[in-house]
Structures are given as C-alpha cells and as structure tokens.
Amino acid sequence: MKNVRRPTPKRNHGFTIVEIMVVAIIIGILCAIALPNFAKIRNNAYRDQCTTNLQRIVAAKEHWSMETGALDTDTPTALQLDPYIKNGTSS
C-alpha cells in the first residue's frame, strides 16, 4: 500500500484569547500609570495660571496707585483696575 498523505488542516494565523488578554492588561497598566500624571500636570498648569493672574493684578494695582497718587494700602475696585489689566500695562 502506498503512503497516502493526509491533508493537514490549515492553521488559523490569528491571535489567541490569552494574547489579547495580555495586551489588554498591559494597556490597562499603562493607563493607570499615565492618568495620575495627567491630573498632576493639569493641577500644576492651573496653579501657574492663578499665580500669573495674581501677579498681573498686583502690577495693575501698582500702576493704578502711581497714576492716581493713591497709597499702597488703598484698595481699588475691579472697575478701576480693569483698564490696566486689559491694556497690558501691568505686564
């Protein structure tokens, strides 16, 4: 009797469920590492923006007191400081 070759079944060249689960776990770990860093960066940017705004208000108050002859202890209203902040003379 001749050697009869049996046809070999075709292999599926896809991903197994284990490989997909490993990739999903790795992505989850990377997200868990990255998200707190993004929150920290956002908080730092917010803090820097607040600091810059306060510096602009102080500079506008100084310009206002020099132009009006007011004392440093005098408190201007927001309406009085508005032109100094909008014109950028407080920079």
Side-chain angles (χ1 to χ4, degrees):
M1 200 153 128
K2 289 185 175 180
N3 279 346
V4 178
R5 275 194 155 172
R6 293 184 184 169
T8 57
K10 290 185 179 180
R11 280 192 110 178
N12 238 351
H13 293 292
F15 295 108
T16 65
I17 190 73
V18 173
E19 292 170 331
I20 293 172
M21 293 295 288
V22 168
V23 169
I25 290 171
I26 291 172
I27 290 172
I29 291 171
L30 290 176
C31 286
I33 292 170
L35 288 178
N37 290 334
F38 290 142
K40 190 183 299 183
I41 290 170
R42 185 179 62 229
N43 288 340
N44 288 345
Y46 179 72
R47 185 192 66 227
D48 292 345
Q49 182 183 10
C50 288
T51 303
T52 301
N53 288 342
L54 288 172
Q55 290 171 347
R56 290 185 72 199
I57 291 170
V58 167
K61 183 180 180 282
E62 288 175 0
H63 277 274
W64 170 81
S65 66
M66 285 189 297
E67 284 190 7
T68 61
L71 299 174
D72 287 340
T73 56
D74 291 344
T75 305
T77 63
L79 191 61
Q80 291 170 322
L81 286 182
D82 200 34
Y84 300 101
I85 293 174
K86 283 186 178 178
N87 291 336
T89 56
S90 61
S91 309

